[in-house]
Amino acid sequence: MSAALSSVSQSYGVLGAAGLVGAAVFARIYLTMSSGKADPSVKLISKTAIVTGANTGIGYEAAKDFARRGAKVILACRDMTKAEAAKNTIIMETGNDQVFAKKVDFASLTSVRNFAKDILATESKIHILVNNAGAAGLGDQKSEDGNHLGLQVNHFGPFLLTNLLLGRIKESAPSRIVNVSAMGHRWAKIDLDDINMEKGSKDTVVYCNSKLCNIITANEIARRLKGTDVIANSLHPGVVMTEIFRNLPGWFRVPLHGLIKVFYKTPEEGAQTIIHLATSPKIEKVSGEYFVDCKIATMSDQAKDVEFAKKIWDLSEQCVKLQDNEKFY
Ligand SMILES: NC(=O)c1ccc[n+]([C@@H]2O[C@H](COP(=O)([O-])OP(=O)(O)OC[C@H]3O[C@@H](n4cnc5c(N)ncnc54)[C@H](OP(=O)(O)O)[C@@H]3O)[C@@H](O)[C@H]2O)c1
């Protein structure tokens, strides 16, 4: 009797394991088919692209793809050792030596201003700006500029950079701004009387608030630059196996990584929507949209709220101390 029971439980174990493997295989096939793929035939000869956070993750894959298409690519990164290593690998793999690494740390608005000054002094054209750099789990701390650190790295810093480069981006039209947001923008809880979350913050809410601001910034640029040949769009890359989860506690990160390895996108797959928005001729007149898997998707109601967007824009200008002579919209 007990031998019979043990044989039944062994059979269930084998069936369970087979079910898990089957689910993993199914998930992989589904992801590969549904991820969306940027058109590999589009060339970027004589184009200049800036990708922030390009030393790793989906930013690295997007930068490598642009180099492969013939663009001059600037990797805008905070750690120059990692940035130089990424630059050398991209040059080696693509054969394009027009790849450069420059320093920018979004935790410091001075660093953002120095980077923008350098770019404006050296680049006569900027055709593509990908605001990709981002971090999660930075805690309840302030930046040296007095802003919430997580909000500054993910939103205020890129917002300032975009504004400082906007004049050159307009002069370079047709040109494109791509903001890497996240599905998490749906769970944002922005208090307009406390944009900098002075009353206290949770990492998840900081992240979601910053990602809503990324969409709103792209939408506002699209509205303010309507009629020009500059388009601005945002995207969710999917859930991608990158270093983005590095600051999460180990008890959460380790099992999550295990799951992600099996069920979620590779960085190359995750970069496809960025590349699509930066290169596809099919969307050259599409602006102010949110994309998932290389297709237009529905953004949250708050992301579509024009009055709310204007308030976020004005508050962001105040938080980064944007001067009147730095407004190019
Ligand atoms: N992975 C996902 O599942 C997922 C999902 C939705 C949205 N996203 C978004 O995708 C974007 C790229 O993330 P990823 O997944 O590729 O993550 P990642 O591998 O961690 O890459 C993030 C990049 O941002 C840079 N960065 C972080 N803080 C910075 C700072 N203060 N100044 C300048 N650069 C900084 C990092 O530089 P260091 O290497 O020096 O830290 C790195 O190059 C982020 O905006 C993220 O919110 C990712």
Side-chain angles (χ1 to χ4, degrees):
M1 181 69 175
S2 69
L5 275 177
S6 136
S7 142
V8 169
S9 75
Q10 270 179 10
S11 307
Y12 275 123
V14 171
L15 276 177
L20 270 180
V21 172
V25 171
F26 177 78
R28 187 74 330 259
I29 293 170
Y30 173 78
L31 275 173
T32 307
M33 292 180 69
S34 66
S35 276
K37 181 107 183 76
D39 179 352
S41 70
V42 180
K43 298 283 174 247
L44 292 177
I45 312 290
S46 310
K47 302 286 182 193
T48 299
I50 299 174
V51 184
T52 70
N55 55 282
T56 187
I58 59 178
Y60 169 79
E61 293 297 334
K64 186 165 73 179
D65 179 278
F66 297 160
R68 195 163 274 135
R69 293 170 192 264
K72 175 177 186 181
V73 187
I74 294 158
L75 315 180
C77 304
R78 64 174 170 170
D79 180 325
M80 291 313 285
T81 308
K82 291 185 194 173
E84 286 293 334
K87 178 192 90 175
N88 291 336
T89 313
I90 292 176
I91 291 176
M92 204 175 67
E93 288 191 14
T94 64
N96 179 348
D97 63 1
Q98 289 300 294
V99 182
F100 303 90
K102 294 205 175 200
K103 183 172 172 71
V104 62
D105 182 350
F106 290 105
S108 158
L109 296 182
T110 306
S111 173
V112 175
R113 286 187 172 281
N114 288 341
F115 172 77
K117 200 170 162 191
D118 177 1
I119 291 291
L120 293 174
T122 52
E123 303 304 326
S124 58
K125 299 279 178 204
I126 305 167
H127 302 100
I128 297 168
L129 170 64
V130 180
N131 287 309
N132 163 77
L138 296 181
D140 197 2
Q141 324 175 39
K142 279 190 176 179
S143 72
E144 64 186 33
D145 306 284
N147 293 314
H148 190 289
L149 182 62
L151 288 174
Q152 178 162 318
V153 168
N154 287 2
H155 167 58
F156 293 126
F159 174 87
L160 176 61
L161 178 64
T162 307
N163 273 284
L164 295 175
L165 300 183
L166 206 51
R168 188 62 44 86
I169 292 171
K170 276 172 82 177
E171 288 161 16
S172 313
S175 47
R176 300 181 180 205
I177 297 167
V178 180
N179 279 4
V180 181
S181 174
M183 179 176 61
H185 80 275
R186 294 181 193 287
W187 300 294
K189 291 181 188 148
I190 295 181
D191 177 353
L192 288 172
D193 294 324
D194 184 25
I195 182 103
N196 250 315
M197 304 179 88
E198 307 262 357
K199 294 178 194 157
S201 67
K202 280 191 189 150
D203 280 339
T204 45
V205 183
V206 171
Y207 186 75
C208 296
N209 285 6
S210 68
K211 292 290 135 183
L212 174 60
C213 290
N214 296 155
I215 300 183
I216 284 175
T217 304
N219 292 352
E220 264 306 288
I221 292 172
R223 279 191 282 274
R224 290 169 191 235
L225 268 56
K226 200 171 175 195
T228 69
D229 250 343
V230 181
I231 60 166
N233 292 294
S234 56
L235 69 116
H236 165 59
V239 184
V240 194
M241 182 60 204
T242 64
E243 295 174 34
I244 193 76
F245 307 102
R246 68 183 105 168
N247 294 323
L248 295 175
W251 61 266
F252 187 69
R253 191 184 65 244
V254 174
L256 183 75
H257 267 182
L259 274 178
I260 283 177
K261 269 191 187 135
V262 180
F263 290 107
Y264 299 135
K265 291 182 181 178
T266 63
E268 196 181 344
E269 287 168 340
Q272 292 306 310
T273 308
I274 298 179
I275 300 163
H276 177 69
L277 293 184
T279 63
S280 173
K282 289 187 183 152
I283 61 148
E284 61 190 9
K285 298 285 174 214
V286 178
S287 197
E289 295 288 353
Y290 167 72
F291 285 71
V292 179
D293 291 334
C294 301
K295 292 191 285 280
I296 292 180
T298 309
M299 59 184 93
S300 70
D301 288 344
Q302 207 167 28
K304 289 185 227 160
D305 183 333
V306 177
E307 288 310 312
F308 185 72
K310 281 186 193 146
K311 288 177 188 154
I312 295 288
W313 184 280
D314 290 346
L315 287 167
S316 301
E317 283 192 351
Q318 289 166 26
C319 290
V320 303
K321 300 186 175 60
L322 195 72
Q323 306 298 306
D324 282 344
N325 65 354
E326 295 171 336
K327 297 178 183 171
F328 297 99
Y329 47 83

